[in-house]
Amino acid sequence: MHKLPYLGFGLGLRPTHYRSILDTKPPIDWFEAITEDYLIPGGNALYFLDRVAELYPIVIHGVSLSIGSPDALDNDYLKQLKQLADRVQPKWISDHLCWTGVNGVNLHDLMPLPYTEEAVKHLVTRISQVQDYLGRQILLENVSSYITYNHSVMSEWEFISAIAEQADCLLLLDVNNIYVSAFNHGFNPEEFINGVPANRVQQFHLAGHLNLETHIVDTHDHDIIDQVWSLYATALKRFGPVSTLIERDDHIPPLSELMLELEHAKSIAQQTLGDCVLIQEKEAAV
């Protein structure tokens, strides 16, 4: 398994911040670009992505791979994804462990999967095909969920672990999604963190959500709550230094406000792991 670099602390790249990033060159370690925003040739989006990529490390994060769907893989999408990767040379490529449509219909949502051996085999085959085509390992992210399947025979973390090991892929662990799903389904989020293989976790996501008391909706439009920050510290203790990104997809505040959250993430990592550990990891990645 190829060791990918430790990037430090990053933000999701959003159009509203393009000018601020290029004009001020803020002290942000890296940016994550949403794949689908940059698949159309030409235009302002690709122009700004190219400019930001000249200044910062970039990773690309998709929402349309639909790796769990019974439909055939979308070869046109994979071709566009590979072309984008060749253009911007991302440190890695990620998407979600889910399905987004069937019979050619896109639901525009990240739908959970049944946790069965049949689903594991299906996903392992498809992930292997994608990784062979792209010529690299990919990261897959745990999604937040609001339903479970009667056919499931294992926990989500057992399911994810089996897929990562058998497909030889990496994991993007969304700490907020773990918290959301744990609340919605009544499991212990620390059991999830302790249940996935440490050597497969390459990136963390941190985000906000909407708590409706009976259930939580993963909205990415609120500040990160204290319980998620605490779970992040738990994840750091388990996995050590992991490249950490803050996502904000709606009600996006000025860049300076998001940088305060990023500094808070960094302070938690420093308190949990110590400055020297983070410095050593960053130097090793250079």
Side-chain angles (χ1 to χ4, degrees), residues 249-265:
D249 293 328
D250 203 359
H251 302 154
I252 300 175
L255 190 62
S256 57
E257 290 186 26
L258 287 178
M259 289 178 64
L260 292 176
E261 279 199 315
L262 202 60
E263 285 301 314
H264 188 54

Side-chain angles (χ1 to χ4, degrees), residues 143-216:
V143 298
S144 55
S145 62
Y146 314 95
I147 62 166
T148 56
Y149 293 89
N150 291 332
H151 284 77
S152 292
V153 297
M154 65 186 85
S155 68
E156 183 180 1
W157 49 94
E158 290 171 328
F159 180 72
I160 288 172
S161 299
I163 291 165
E165 296 290 358
Q166 293 179 38
D168 192 23
C169 67
L170 299 170
L171 298 176
L172 193 173
L173 210 60
D174 190 308
V175 178
N176 178 66
N177 287 354
I178 294 173
Y179 180 84
V180 168
S181 293
F183 182 96
N184 289 341
H185 303 307
F187 64 78
N188 184 341
E190 293 190 17
E191 190 173 357
F192 189 120
I193 287 172
N194 291 328
V196 296
N199 65 330
R200 295 285 171 181
V201 177
Q202 176 63 34
Q203 182 185 337
F204 290 144
H205 270 175
L206 297 170
H209 57 249
L210 177 62
N211 191 327
L212 298 174
E213 297 186 2
T214 57
H215 62 285
I216 295 176

Side-chain angles (χ1 to χ4, degrees), residues 63-66 71 99-110:
V63 295
S64 301
L65 186 58
S66 198
D71 286 357
W99 59 283
T100 60
V102 66
N103 294 330
V105 177
N106 193 330
L107 301 177
H108 300 288
D109 208 341
L110 307 174

Side-chain angles (χ1 to χ4, degrees), residues 3-227:
K3 177 67 174 178
L4 296 177
Y6 169 69
L7 298 181
F9 301 86
L11 289 178
L13 181 63
R14 302 295 180 261
T16 189
H17 296 144
Y18 286 157
R19 288 294 182 188
S20 295
I21 293 166
L22 295 179
D23 291 344
T24 66
K25 300 178 180 60
I28 297 168
D29 292 336
W30 58 288
F31 285 96
E32 179 186 80
I34 300 300
T35 303
E36 289 72 17
D37 289 345
Y38 305 97
L39 295 183
I40 298 175
N44 283 339
L46 268 177
Y47 167 82
F48 282 110
L49 180 60
D50 286 341
R51 301 290 78 76
V52 174
E54 291 171 357
L55 301 171
Y56 299 92
I58 296 288
V59 306
I60 53 179
H61 180 59
V63 295
S64 301
L65 186 58
S66 198
I67 197 68
S69 174
D71 286 357
L73 290 166
D74 187 338
N75 290 325
D76 289 338
Y77 176 80
L78 287 175
K79 182 179 179 181
Q80 290 177 300
L81 174 59
K82 186 172 176 56
Q83 289 173 340
L84 179 64
D86 289 343
R87 177 178 182 135
V88 301
Q89 294 296 306
K91 297 300 182 182
W92 56 77
I93 297 171
S94 64
D95 207 291
H96 298 81
L97 197 57
C98 70
W99 59 283
T100 60
V102 66
N103 294 330
V105 177
N106 193 330
L107 301 177
H108 300 288
D109 208 341
L110 307 174
M111 307 299 293
L113 293 152
Y115 306 139
T116 65
E117 294 292 346
E118 181 183 15
V120 169
K121 291 178 182 178
H122 177 65
L123 284 154
V124 167
T125 298
R126 287 163 67 87
I127 293 166
S128 298
Q129 291 172 345
V130 171
Q131 292 187 142
D132 287 345
Y133 179 78
L134 295 176
R136 63 167 79 201
Q137 286 178 301
I138 61 171
L139 281 61
L140 288 169
E141 175 184 350
N142 58 295
V143 298
S144 55
S145 62
Y146 314 95
I147 62 166
T148 56
Y149 293 89
N150 291 332
H151 284 77
S152 292
V153 297
M154 65 186 85
S155 68
E156 183 180 1
W157 49 94
E158 290 171 328
F159 180 72
I160 288 172
S161 299
I163 291 165
E165 296 290 358
Q166 293 179 38
D168 192 23
C169 67
L170 299 170
L171 298 176
L172 193 173
L173 210 60
D174 190 308
V175 178
N176 178 66
N177 287 354
I178 294 173
Y179 180 84
V180 168
S181 293
F183 182 96
N184 289 341
H185 303 307
F187 64 78
N188 184 341
E190 293 190 17
E191 190 173 357
F192 189 120
I193 287 172
N194 291 328
V196 296
N199 65 330
R200 295 285 171 181
V201 177
Q202 176 63 34
Q203 182 185 337
F204 290 144
H205 270 175
L206 297 170
H209 57 249
L210 177 62
N211 191 327
L212 298 174
E213 297 186 2
T214 57
H215 62 285
I216 295 176
V217 179
D218 178 33
T219 54
H220 291 188
D221 64 356
H222 286 69
D223 292 341
I224 299 164
I225 67 169
D226 289 343
Q227 293 92 325

